[in-house]
């Protein structure tokens, strides 16, 4: 029987890769918590309706990519394809805004989309993100863009290109929609099937066409449809970014084709990512979403970044810190009668805060020491018959290949000294 394989489009996280993953998550938490964002978590599955309404039925994500199933009670549930709708639902339902406004929250976790798997695009992937919920202010858009930028920079990824645009408010977009329809209708025969449908359902998404970029190249720009108020809001965002020392590229073709998006939209691009997948992530202001989900109208802004893509770029740029070894010291019994003493010494060392593997298996000391090397340990503590009899242990420096005997009372200090000793050159 062949061994069972992982499902297509998924990744396993094994020990050698997990420290990079943890580094990324810890860096994200540290950076966004320095802005006052606090961790939240929401379910991995939600009522399908949350995403139909919250992401939009005319999007590729909802039309083609959701993992939807019926539970035993006949309810339609969906594995979350993105984090914002669920986090907003959680914050609103938990009445978090009654205490502080805006609520600043961050999240991290797996998302699910059944896209065609390819490099940097999976069925299960991870995102980290923040949401700032409860106020509309250009300063908050700037804060969110800056927090994401500081996080990416803290990962050592220089040369991030921040693309920004304004989608205006509902009226601006209505004007823009009409301008788009006037432009696209005469071209209808030349459009791909998807775009002909978009023409009817969601004209803004015509600009996202991945099959033929030519029609979009000459299409009207949303920036030309902005009212004076919306244009002034966007100017405030841009000057806020300048004041924060953040270079951003104006991209009037960056759109998010849903009604509840408003004003600021942005993406973080990195040159080392190819083509349509050059975005590490993005976000924007989504003032209409809470209402679409049935809550009181509540402005909000946020971003989501793809963990696999960030790690891909960090690996390419060699900014990932080396994995720490599995342990600092290995405690080895020489023969089975010393196993219990070795276990006790390992416990003492762990209580003193050291990372310690116990090797009390019935196998040769040579093998145990080779295994200790492979674990990356710097010290081995060896308990043989003599040591056990005399209340001693041998502390071996695995880097310098020296060793000495110490009384068990001085073991912690001796192991610490060995760990602190300079590595032989
Ligand atoms: P989106 O919610 O589509 O704007 O996605 C935000 C970010 O999540 C993207 O820029 C990617 O970094 C990441 N992402 C989205 N879909 C996938 C996927 N299928 N596989 C891996 N990463 C993804």
């Amino acid at each position: 029987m062949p061994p069972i394989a992982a499902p297509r489009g998924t990744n396993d996280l094994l020990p050698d890769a997990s420290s990079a993953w943890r580094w990324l998550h810890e860096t994200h938490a540290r950076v966004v918590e320095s802005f006052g964002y606090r961790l939240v978590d929401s379910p991995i599955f939600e009522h399908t309706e949350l995403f139909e309404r919250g992401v939009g039925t005319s999007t590729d994500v909802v039309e083609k990519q959701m993992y939807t199933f019926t539970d035993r009670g006949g309810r339609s549930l969906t594995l979350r394809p993105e984090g914002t709708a669920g986090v907003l639902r959680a914050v609103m339902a938990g009445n978090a805004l009654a205490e502080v406004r805006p609520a600043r929250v961050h999240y991290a976790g797996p998302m699910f989309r059944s896209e065609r798997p390819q490099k940097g695009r999976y069925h299960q992937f991870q995102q980290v993100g923040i949401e700032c919920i409860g106020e509309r202010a250009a300063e908050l858009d700037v804060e969110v863009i800056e927090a994401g930028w500081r996080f990416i920079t803290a990962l050592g990824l220089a040369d991030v290109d921040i693309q920004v645009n304004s989608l205006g408010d509902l009226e601006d977009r209505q004007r823009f929609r009409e301008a788009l329809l006037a432009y696209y209708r005469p071209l209808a025969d030349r459009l791909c099937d998807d775009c002909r449908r978009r023409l009817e359902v969601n004209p803004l998404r015509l600009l996202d066409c991945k099959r033929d970029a030519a029609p979009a190249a000459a299409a009207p720009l949303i920036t030309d449809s902005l009212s004076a108020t919306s244009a002034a809001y966007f100017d405030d965002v841009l000057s806020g970014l300048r004041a924060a020392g953040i270079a951003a590229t104006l991209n009037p073709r960056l759109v998010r084709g849903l009604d509840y998006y408003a004003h600021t939209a942005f993406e973080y691009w990195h040159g080392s990512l190819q083509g349509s997948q050059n975005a590490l992530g993005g976000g924007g202001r989504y003032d209409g979403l809470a209402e679409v989900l049935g809550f009181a109208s509540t402005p909000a802004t946020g971003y989501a970044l793809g963990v696999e893509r960030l790690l891909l770029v960090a690996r390419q740029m060699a900014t990932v810190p080396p994995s720490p070894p599995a342990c600092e010291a290995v405690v080895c019994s020489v023969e089975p009668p010393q196993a219990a003493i070795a276990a006790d010494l390992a416990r003492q060392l762990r209580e003193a805060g050291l990372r310690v593997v116990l090797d009390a298996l019935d196998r040769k000391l040579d093998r145990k020491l080779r295994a200790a090397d492979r674990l990356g340990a710097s010290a081995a503590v060896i308990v043989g018959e003599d040591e056990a009899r005399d209340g001693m242990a041998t502390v071996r420096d695995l880097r310098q290949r020296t060793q000495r005997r110490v009384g068990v009372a001085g073991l912690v200090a001796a192991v610490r000294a060995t760990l602190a000793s300079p590595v032989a050159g």
Side-chain angles (χ1 to χ4, degrees):
M1 201 171 45
I4 295 172
R8 234 160 80 88
T10 63
N11 291 298
D12 297 317
L13 184 66
L14 293 173
D16 280 343
S18 64
S19 73
W21 191 84
R22 186 189 262 174
W23 161 73
L24 184 141
H25 283 89
E26 286 177 356
T27 306
H28 187 252
R30 178 168 50 74
V31 171
V32 301
E33 285 174 11
S34 81
F35 285 77
Y37 286 74
R38 296 198 300 163
L39 182 66
V40 293
D41 196 27
S42 63
I44 279 173
F45 58 85
E46 298 267 3
H47 291 298
T48 302
E49 204 185 350
L50 180 84
F51 303 116
E52 283 174 350
R53 290 209 248 154
V55 182
T57 37
S58 65
T59 57
D60 281 354
V61 169
V62 172
E63 274 182 348
K64 306 179 199 163
Q65 299 173 356
M66 292 208 303
Y67 282 97
T68 297
F69 59 98
T70 306
D71 75 0
R72 284 166 208 271
R75 285 169 289 257
S76 177
L77 299 172
T78 293
L79 298 182
R80 64 182 181 194
E82 58 95 52
T84 300
V87 166
L88 181 65
R89 181 200 55 66
V91 167
M92 298 304 290
N95 209 14
L97 292 179
E99 288 167 31
V100 222
R101 209 179 173 99
R104 290 180 167 87
V105 295
H106 69 97
Y107 64 88
M111 308 293 161
F112 306 83
R113 295 184 195 174
S114 65
E115 302 182 73
R116 196 165 60 81
Q118 49 188 294
K119 196 175 171 199
R121 210 162 257 290
Y122 309 103
H123 287 170
Q124 175 173 337
F125 60 99
Q126 298 264 339
Q127 284 184 342
V128 291
I130 67 175
E131 313 294 352
C132 179
I133 301 166
E135 297 288 348
R136 171 165 54 218
E139 293 91 308
L140 297 176
D141 293 332
V142 173
E143 173 180 300
V144 165
I145 296 173
E146 178 178 357
W149 177 75
R150 293 219 178 269
F151 161 58
I152 297 169
T153 310
L155 296 180
L157 311 188
D159 307 328
V160 183
D161 182 7
I162 305 178
Q163 303 269 317
V164 282
N165 192 21
S166 170
L167 308 178
D169 59 16
L170 263 182
E171 279 175 24
D172 300 334
R173 269 200 313 287
Q174 191 54 37
R175 261 196 302 280
F176 181 50
R177 210 181 122 98
E178 276 150 27
L180 276 182
L181 288 175
Y183 167 79
Y184 272 102
R185 281 223 168 97
L187 305 179
D189 292 347
R190 289 173 24 210
L191 299 177
C192 69
D193 296 346
D194 275 347
C195 281
R196 269 202 295 277
R197 210 161 32 80
R198 286 174 184 144
L199 199 53
E200 302 310 319
V201 194
N202 190 347
L204 259 68
R205 295 218 38 247
L206 287 161
L207 301 170
D208 278 342
C209 182
K210 303 277 184 290
R211 293 204 213 160
D212 181 4
L221 299 177
I222 176 98
T223 24
D224 296 331
S225 298
L226 294 185
S227 67
T229 324
S230 298
Y233 185 93
F234 192 34
D235 278 346
D236 287 347
V237 172
L238 296 178
S239 57
L241 288 173
R242 272 195 300 277
I246 296 173
T249 311
L250 269 181
N251 180 350
R253 294 185 195 286
L254 185 75
V255 288
R256 311 206 134 213
L258 295 171
D259 283 351
Y260 57 78
Y261 282 109
H263 300 290
T264 319
F266 57 92
E267 282 183 355
Y268 302 95
W269 288 6
H270 200 275
S272 67
L273 291 166
Q274 298 302 309
S276 63
Q277 291 165 59
N278 60 356
L280 294 168
R285 176 158 283 289
Y286 50 94
D287 289 351
L289 179 57
E291 216 171 343
V292 166
L293 300 182
F295 297 101
S297 170
T298 307
T301 178
Y303 68 68
L305 288 155
V307 170
E308 286 80 1
R309 290 214 200 143
L310 288 163
L311 285 176
L312 194 79
V313 178
R315 282 203 193 90
Q316 273 171 23
M317 301 191 60
T319 64
V320 181
S323 297
C327 66
E328 296 168 292
V330 175
V331 179
C332 310
S333 52
V334 178
E335 282 150 348
Q338 296 98 45
I341 300 177
D344 195 43
L345 295 182
R347 256 172 239 127
Q348 285 178 30
L349 290 167
R350 288 184 197 124
E351 271 167 29
L354 298 174
R355 290 182 297 119
V356 177
V357 165
L358 170 66
D359 193 343
L361 300 175
D362 184 9
R363 55 182 183 177
K364 288 229 157 41
L365 182 61
D366 261 9
R367 270 188 73 189
K368 296 188 181 187
L369 292 176
R370 278 203 303 276
D373 274 333
R374 278 197 296 273
L375 286 172
S378 301
V381 174
I382 303 161
V383 195
E385 197 181 349
D386 294 354
E387 285 95 342
R389 187 194 54 225
D390 300 342
M392 311 273 290
T394 295
V395 177
R396 186 172 167 81
D397 185 327
L398 293 172
R399 295 172 302 190
Q400 315 229 24
R401 309 270 152 203
T402 56
Q403 63 183 46
R404 65 187 169 119
R405 269 192 178 198
V406 298
V408 291
L411 182 64
V412 170
V415 171
R416 283 226 171 91
T418 304
L419 298 179
S421 72
V423 182

